[in-house]
Amino acid sequence: MDLDLARGLSQEANTKIVLFVMDGLGGLPHPGTGRTELETANLPHLDSIARESACGFTVPVGTGITPGSGPGHLALFGYDPLAYNIGRGVLEAVGIDFDLRPLDVAARGNFCTIDQEGRITDRRAGRISTEDSARIVDGLRAIPLNGAQTFVEPVREHRFVFVLRGEGLSAAVADTDPQAEGVTALAPRATSAEGESTAALVSSFIEQAQPYLRDKSPANMLLLRGFARRPEWPAMGEVFKLRAAAIAHYPMYRGLAKLVGMETLPVGPSLADSVTTLRANWDRFDFLFVHYKYTDTAGEDGDFERKVAKLEEVDAVIDALVDLDPDVLMIAGDHSTPAVMAAHSWHPVPFMLRSRHARADECDRFNEVALLHGSLGTFPAKEALPLAMAHAGRFKKYGA
Amino acid sequence: MDLDLARGLSQEANTKIVLFVMDGLGGLPHPGTGRTELETANLPHLDSIARESACGFTVPVGTGITPGSGPGHLALFGYDPLAYNIGRGVLEAVGIDFDLRPLDVAARGNFCTIDQEGRITDRRAGRISTEDSARIVDGLRAIPLNGAQTFVEPVREHRFVFVLRGEGLSAAVADTDPQAEGVTALAPRATSAEGESTAALVSSFIEQAQPYLRDKSPANMLLLRGFARRPEWPAMGEVFKLRAAAIAHYPMYRGLAKLVGMETLPVGPSLADSVTTLRANWDRFDFLFVHYKYTDTAGEDGDFERKVAKLEEVDAVIDALVDLDPDVLMIAGDHSTPAVMAAHSWHPVPFMLRSRHARADECDRFNEVALLHGSLGTFPAKEALPLAMAHAGRFKKYGA
């Protein structure tokens, strides 16, 4: 749904919506058994919710499109992931919970290895350890720039975030990363006139970094890409008139939630921690997004049995969400991560919506085969929040 | 479907399409039985039609959007209800079958109550009786304006329609209704330069109305909103090459049909009357829209049993439509009105299309659960007419 339309329809109400996201939820059959992770797992509580929910599948971005974490979540927050793009640098900054301000310019950084002629021999500097990388980053922080403050923050292995803060900055700077080996790094170049002073600052930074990095092989050079500004998107509170909060342990998901104006609540790593935080903040919010990471991690590791076990861990706790009796409870995923693929995939994602006004259907189990009998069919993930808004009495009638 | 595409595809043919609309058709389960109105009703004839039809659900406007009568019907007539908006004033005029002409400007009027300082104390004038309201309206008709003719028509209780007819009028006039109490009515203000002379006419009308209304408390003031012109939309005859007629007893639906160029046929209040009118006009038209109101009325009243009874009344007569053997018979609704909600809702609406070329499916009953086995799935209501056009041999091949 277009956000202007959503803005016009939404109204306040004394109702609560919970969005519970199992990261990488959907799967594919195990070749040995012919059953998916969800079909294999013993999920009595999720199956019970399925019997009283409207069931179906979400398509995160579009048919055949495998989403990253950003688009997969933005869609569930009601934002069309094809219209609301996040620059690479911003996603990286957001991913480590860096407090990116509206005028900052962020880029993704890689340490790399160059030979004596300056040609790149390894774009990832042999994937140096996170600890070594963090030590090298420390030295980069000391580089002074005229007219801008710099932040260099380690991410993991050879990756870091580079942020410029100051007056008159612009993201109109091309990548220095040639995305190839055997060639030299590119000079920072403005992609339009307004990017020229920023490109000059980036050049100065790299020139000063080079002598410092010279003896840090394999991390003897750096590459920057995806210069971007924090997007100024309409906030969920303004568009949907929801007091929205995120209960997410991983920085990436907190960061994404912040981009759409959610308040992020401190929470421990376990699902029990999430439930505790949910209960403690129940009265303060209308919309609570709870993120569970480990289904995706197991899927990405190609560990079918662990993904089954993680689903069963969720099942053991899920009634705590039901017991809070939200007006709308959505059980969803940001994308599928079939263990047999050990990667994100494009497959539609299991979804169910429990509400007093949910239309009954013949789906009585929470898995990829049973959900085909659901009343919701297969629909764009960006429509999930509008659907929840309707069930929560938070959308006015359209037209008289 | 885009109307330009429809225009390019449509061709004349010697075939007939009947669109039978049960207003507020879809429902939700009764808490006592777990069965919807359609599941509860005994509908042997509709079930029989389901067995020989392609079945599914329509989404009137969009996921989660609860439509009013206007958008719900426009979609079934093939017009995208998000693109074809009807101004409030026009809908109100159309709703009483007022013969609104292309250059007229119409507004919705409310009588209201004001205190001695002119502050609104009741935006609806205590919902005065329709009779009292009609008497006060009579007096307003006598107000003369320089350069425009005025029409004031009672609607119901405190509501009336205000229409200006003349040269050089514009709908660019802001509401005088502040949509709040404790404040004074707003002065009529042009929202662009072209609205200035019309705003002056409206001001003159209100100034002359004030002394007349002074002793009519609680209806001692009036508010106007939703100034609008009759939209100039492409007619169904031109776009779809259909000679189209509406068989609708309620003025609102006749009015909506007129906006898309249908001829409206005189008809009595019962379904038997509709069938009589249908038979009498069978040869003159290619497309006949038959409207049945009472399913919605029962739903809006929250009367589950009466809605069930009204569905059974339809079932008893429906074979009269089948017996006329239209090339395409669509059984549809403009929106759901679940009796348990006593209101319109966003839920997809039961739909079936009977035609010699309809693709068979496993749906053997006409209700919200059985229809999930239909071959049409859940699709936008605005695609129903294109579907009928195809089944009626009225769309050419696209491309060679």
Side-chain angles (χ1 to χ4, degrees):
Chain A
M1 179 179 292
D2 177 84
L3 294 190
D4 286 333
L5 177 58
R7 187 182 287 111
L9 292 175
S10 58
Q11 61 185 2
E12 291 180 12
N14 187 22
T15 53
K16 293 199 189 295
I17 300 171
V18 171
L19 169 65
F20 179 58
V21 174
M22 281 182 262
D23 208 302
L25 174 59
L28 282 174
H30 190 287
T33 66
R35 291 201 306 271
T36 68
E37 298 91 322
L38 281 167
E39 285 182 284
T40 305
N42 181 32
L43 307 172
H45 302 98
L46 285 163
D47 290 346
S48 163
I49 296 173
R51 282 190 287 275
E52 51 194 37
S53 293
C55 298
F57 294 88
T58 55
V59 176
V61 180
T63 304
I65 300 179
T66 297
S69 298
H73 277 84
L74 286 176
L76 291 173
F77 300 158
Y79 293 69
D80 180 352
L82 290 172
Y84 292 86
N85 273 299
I86 309 171
R88 182 77 229 188
V90 170
L91 192 69
E92 212 68 19
V94 146
I96 57 165
D97 223 0
F98 181 86
D99 180 28
L100 200 64
R101 303 201 187 153
L103 300 180
D104 292 353
V105 170
R108 147 93 180 250
N110 273 17
F111 288 117
C112 66
T113 311
I114 54 174
D115 65 16
Q116 289 193 325
E117 281 73 40
R119 287 184 301 242
I120 300 165
T121 57
D122 182 349
R123 282 184 59 247
R124 295 182 182 83
R127 289 192 184 275
I128 56 166
S129 74
T130 303
E131 295 68 32
D132 288 347
S133 187
R135 262 192 302 276
I136 302 172
V137 157
D138 269 344
L140 293 176
R141 290 200 179 110
I143 294 173
L145 288 185
N146 264 333
Q149 200 178 348
T150 58
F151 300 84
V152 194
E153 301 294 337
V155 177
R156 213 165 52 140
E157 298 176 338
H158 57 287
R159 289 156 48 194
F160 61 89
V161 173
F162 172 76
V163 176
L164 287 172
R165 179 171 296 166
E167 300 281 312
L169 295 175
S170 158
V173 177
D175 296 352
T176 75
D177 185 347
Q179 304 257 9
E181 296 177 349
V183 295
T184 59
L186 303 169
R189 188 179 50 77
T191 56
S192 74
E194 66 174 23
E196 277 170 19
S197 64
T198 308
L201 287 167
V202 175
S203 291
S204 166
F205 178 82
I206 294 176
E207 275 163 28
Q208 296 181 72
Q210 277 176 305
Y212 163 72
L213 291 174
R214 195 157 292 146
D215 63 351
K216 304 289 185 300
S217 186
N220 63 355
M221 182 53 178
L222 61 84
L223 302 171
L224 298 173
R225 63 184 162 110
F227 288 88
R229 272 241 170 91
R230 185 193 156 124
E232 291 189 69
W233 293 341
M236 280 184 82
E238 186 259 319
V239 176
F240 294 100
K241 299 187 181 67
L242 292 168
R243 296 171 302 166
I247 298 175
H249 180 65
Y250 276 65
M252 168 70 82
Y253 309 97
R254 283 202 302 275
L256 288 166
K258 276 189 216 162
L259 288 181
V260 295
M262 281 190 232
E263 185 172 329
T264 55
L265 305 175
V267 62
S270 78
L271 194 47
D273 295 329
S274 293
V275 171
T276 304
T277 302
L278 184 65
R279 282 208 191 98
N281 291 276
W282 188 247
D283 292 336
R284 288 177 57 218
F285 298 98
D286 311 308
F287 175 90
L288 295 116
F289 152 55
V290 181
H291 183 258
Y292 181 77
K293 177 66 181 170
Y294 308 108
T295 31
D296 181 59
T297 317
E300 293 240 37
D301 290 347
D303 191 337
F304 194 98
E305 291 313 318
R306 198 168 94 236
K307 193 169 172 196
V308 168
K310 293 298 168 189
L311 291 167
E312 291 179 345
E313 279 182 29
V314 169
D315 191 74
V317 178
I318 196 76
D319 273 357
L321 271 58
V322 176
D323 292 344
L324 282 163
D325 199 25
D327 297 275
V328 177
L329 170 62
M330 289 184 279
I331 310 282
D334 55 341
H335 52 74
S336 293
T337 305
V340 297
M341 291 177 68
H344 293 198
S345 83
W346 60 90
H347 300 88
V349 187
F351 178 87
M352 55 184 175
L353 185 151
R354 179 184 182 273
S355 154
R356 192 160 58 98
H357 296 309
R359 188 171 270 173
D361 56 39
E362 294 178 330
C363 174
D364 57 359
R365 288 197 60 197
F366 189 62
N367 65 54
E368 292 84 352
V369 175
L371 288 161
L372 291 170
H373 299 286
S375 61
L376 297 177
T378 297
F379 67 101
K382 66 178 175 176
E383 303 297 347
L385 185 62
L387 201 62
M389 292 287 289
H391 283 85
R394 288 178 168 271
F395 267 166
K396 289 181 285 213
K397 189 154 65 173
Y398 175 76
Chain B
M1 178 182 290
D2 178 83
L3 294 191
D4 286 333
L5 178 57
R7 188 181 286 112
L9 291 175
S10 57
Q11 62 184 1
E12 291 180 13
N14 186 23
T15 53
K16 294 201 188 294
I17 300 171
V18 171
L19 168 65
F20 179 58
V21 174
M22 279 182 264
D23 208 301
L25 174 60
L28 281 175
H30 189 288
T33 65
R35 291 201 305 272
T36 68
E37 298 92 323
L38 281 167
E39 285 182 285
T40 305
N42 182 31
L43 306 171
H45 303 99
L46 285 162
D47 290 347
S48 163
I49 296 173
R51 282 191 287 274
E52 50 195 36
S53 293
C55 298
F57 294 88
T58 54
V59 176
V61 180
T63 304
I65 299 180
T66 297
S69 297
H73 276 85
L74 285 177
L76 291 173
F77 300 157
Y79 293 70
D80 180 352
L82 290 172
Y84 292 86
N85 272 299
I86 309 172
R88 182 77 230 189
V90 170
L91 193 69
E92 210 69 18
V94 146
I96 57 164
D97 223 0
F98 181 86
D99 180 28
L100 201 64
R101 303 203 187 151
L103 300 181
D104 294 352
V105 170
R108 147 93 181 250
N110 273 18
F111 289 116
C112 67
T113 312
I114 55 174
D115 65 16
Q116 291 193 322
E117 280 76 40
R119 286 183 302 241
I120 299 165
T121 57
D122 183 347
R123 281 184 61 245
R124 295 180 182 85
R127 289 193 184 275
I128 57 165
S129 74
T130 303
E131 295 69 31
D132 288 348
S133 188
R135 263 192 300 276
I136 302 173
V137 157
D138 270 344
L140 293 176
R141 290 201 178 110
I143 294 174
L145 288 185
N146 264 335
Q149 199 178 350
T150 58
F151 299 85
V152 194
E153 301 293 338
V155 177
R156 213 167 50 141
E157 296 175 341
H158 57 289
R159 290 156 50 192
F160 60 89
V161 174
F162 172 76
V163 177
L164 287 172
R165 180 171 296 167
E167 298 282 310
L169 296 173
S170 157
V173 177
D175 296 351
T176 75
D177 185 346
Q179 305 257 9
E181 297 178 349
V183 296
T184 59
L186 304 169
R189 189 177 48 75
T191 56
S192 74
E194 65 173 24
E196 277 170 20
S197 63
T198 308
L201 287 167
V202 176
S203 291
S204 166
F205 178 81
I206 294 176
E207 275 162 30
Q208 297 181 70
Q210 277 174 305
Y212 163 71
L213 292 174
R214 196 158 291 147
D215 63 353
K216 304 290 185 298
S217 187
N220 64 355
M221 182 54 178
L222 61 84
L223 301 171
L224 298 172
R225 62 185 162 109
F227 288 88
R229 272 241 171 91
R230 184 193 156 122
E232 291 189 68
W233 293 341
M236 280 184 82
E238 186 260 317
V239 177
F240 294 101
K241 301 188 180 66
L242 291 168
R243 295 172 301 165
I247 298 175
H249 179 64
Y250 276 64
M252 169 69 84
Y253 309 96
R254 283 203 302 275
L256 288 164
K258 275 188 218 163
L259 289 180
V260 295
M262 281 191 232
E263 185 173 329
T264 55
L265 304 176
V267 62
S270 77
L271 195 47
D273 295 330
S274 293
V275 171
T276 304
T277 302
L278 185 64
R279 282 208 192 98
N281 291 276
W282 189 247
D283 293 336
R284 288 176 56 217
F285 298 98
D286 311 308
F287 175 90
L288 295 115
F289 152 54
V290 181
H291 182 258
Y292 180 77
K293 176 67 181 171
Y294 307 107
T295 30
D296 181 59
T297 317
E300 293 241 37
D301 289 346
D303 191 336
F304 194 97
E305 293 311 320
R306 197 168 95 235
K307 192 168 172 195
V308 168
K310 292 298 168 189
L311 291 167
E312 291 179 346
E313 279 182 29
V314 169
D315 192 73
V317 178
I318 197 77
D319 273 358
L321 271 59
V322 176
D323 291 344
L324 282 164
D325 199 25
D327 298 275
V328 176
L329 170 62
M330 290 185 278
I331 310 283
D334 55 342
H335 52 75
S336 293
T337 304
V340 297
M341 291 179 69
H344 293 197
S345 83
W346 60 90
H347 298 91
V349 188
F351 178 87
M352 55 184 176
L353 185 151
R354 179 184 181 273
S355 154
R356 194 159 57 97
H357 298 308
R359 184 169 274 173
D361 56 39
E362 293 178 333
C363 174
D364 57 0
R365 287 197 59 198
F366 189 61
N367 66 53
E368 292 84 352
V369 175
L371 288 160
L372 290 169
H373 299 285
S375 61
L376 297 177
T378 297
F379 66 100
K382 66 178 175 175
E383 304 298 347
L385 184 62
L387 202 62
M389 291 287 289
H391 283 85
R394 287 179 168 272
F395 266 169
K396 289 181 286 210
K397 186 154 66 175
Y398 176 76

